[in-house]
Amino acid sequence: LAKTTQPISMDSYEGQEVNITCSHNNIATNDYITWYQQFPSQGPRFIIQGYKTKVTNEVASLFIPADRKSSTLSLPRVSLSDTAVYYCLVYMNTGFQKLVFGTGTRLLVSP
Amino acid sequence: EPEVTQTPSHQVTQMGQEVILRCVPISNHLYFYWYRQILGQKVEFLVSFYNNEISEKSEIFDDQFSVERPDGSNFTLKIRSTKLEDSAMYFCASTEDGDQPQHFGDGTRLSIL
């Protein structure tokens, strides 16, 4: 069974940088890695997407090593409103390609 | 900003009944998806749909499930003979092409009694 694993939870304080890693050993060769944020009772919201190396947008950075077997979402200077669950989403090689969400990381940002 | 909309927001159904969950993807999008999220668990892929046919499906998407794009705007998920374990949030998503990020609706909460 294809798996993507993330830490279950992380705690941080306002203003700190938070790095969340997703392990995806069996990732498909040619597809993007995407990260989403989810608040309770809402659908996932797109944060950032990348294929390799580093990608940065106005809210986050994404670091992807050369082997692409993991990826790290970096949130600079988190605020209370960043408290949410964060998921990676990748295509896996499972005999047929399949979209797999990571196990999710619950981030709690405190004052 | 365009949104993916899902109806109803909450559906309560007796076990064994059929249910249809509805989604209106973003208008210029061509790829459509259904996901399931059991309470307290991660989001799970069910099926993707492109060019009026299923392009990929997971092991969860068995003969109990079917999808349809009955007209130019709606994308539906039908669950036949519902079971208690079908209770979950069901999310629809769409994207303009297969490489672009998916846009998700806010889901339908399905409760099977």
Side-chain angles (χ1 to χ4, degrees):
Chain A
L1 182 66
K3 275 194 165 183
T4 59
T5 56
Q6 300 176 230
I8 293 175
S9 64
M10 297 182 72
D11 294 326
S12 184
Y13 294 97
E14 282 189 292
Q16 289 190 332
E17 178 184 84
V18 171
N19 296 307
I20 305 173
T21 297
C22 179
S23 297
H24 29 77
N25 287 336
N26 203 22
I27 188 172
T29 305
N30 297 319
D31 291 288
Y32 284 93
I33 298 163
T34 312
W35 281 80
Y36 291 87
Q37 176 191 57
Q38 188 180 31
F39 296 112
S41 300
Q42 293 186 20
R45 294 287 178 258
F46 170 74
I47 302 172
I48 196 167
Q49 176 175 276
Y51 180 72
K52 61 181 178 180
T53 64
K54 178 184 175 182
V55 179
T56 297
N57 63 17
E58 61 275 12
V59 299
S61 294
L62 179 60
F63 299 91
I64 304 170
D67 65 4
R68 296 185 5 108
K69 292 186 177 182
S70 66
S71 58
T72 299
L73 172 72
S74 181
L75 304 172
R77 298 178 299 283
V78 294
S79 63
L80 296 178
S81 61
D82 292 321
T83 293
V85 181
Y86 292 82
Y87 292 97
C88 60
L89 174 64
V90 300
Y91 270 96
M92 303 294 280
N93 283 322
T94 59
F96 55 90
Q97 290 194 345
K98 190 178 77 169
L99 279 165
V100 179
F101 268 91
T103 48
T105 298
R106 186 175 302 275
L107 174 65
L108 175 62
V109 181
S110 301
Chain B
E1 183 176 324
E3 291 183 343
V4 174
T5 56
Q6 293 186 240
T7 55
S9 57
H10 190 189
Q11 173 78 44
V12 182
T13 302
Q14 291 290 327
M15 186 171 59
Q17 297 296 306
E18 175 182 284
V19 64
I20 297 176
L21 309 182
R22 302 182 190 280
C23 170
V24 179
I26 295 173
S27 61
N28 64 331
H29 285 188
L30 302 176
Y31 294 75
F32 314 112
Y33 308 82
W34 282 102
Y35 293 85
R36 177 182 82 175
Q37 187 174 33
I38 295 170
L39 184 64
Q41 299 186 21
K42 71 171 190 175
V43 181
E44 298 174 291
F45 168 72
L46 292 178
V47 66
S48 59
F49 191 88
Y50 169 71
N51 199 27
N52 284 317
E53 61 182 25
I54 291 173
S55 46
E56 294 173 11
K57 60 182 181 179
S58 73
E59 60 273 14
I60 302 169
F61 194 88
D62 59 20
D63 292 342
Q64 184 192 7
F65 295 89
S66 62
V67 290
E68 191 178 28
R69 188 155 163 81
D71 52 45
S73 60
N74 290 283
F75 180 51
T76 63
L77 174 69
K78 181 188 291 186
I79 308 175
R80 289 179 283 274
S81 188
T82 49
K83 300 174 286 200
L84 293 176
E85 53 265 39
D86 294 327
S87 295
M89 286 289 290
Y90 287 82
F91 293 106
C92 172
S94 69
T95 184
E96 191 171 354
D97 70 55
D99 289 334
Q100 294 301 311
Q102 296 174 35
H103 295 252
F104 283 78
D106 280 334
T108 293
R109 181 178 301 279
L110 178 62
S111 299
I112 306 300
L113 305 180

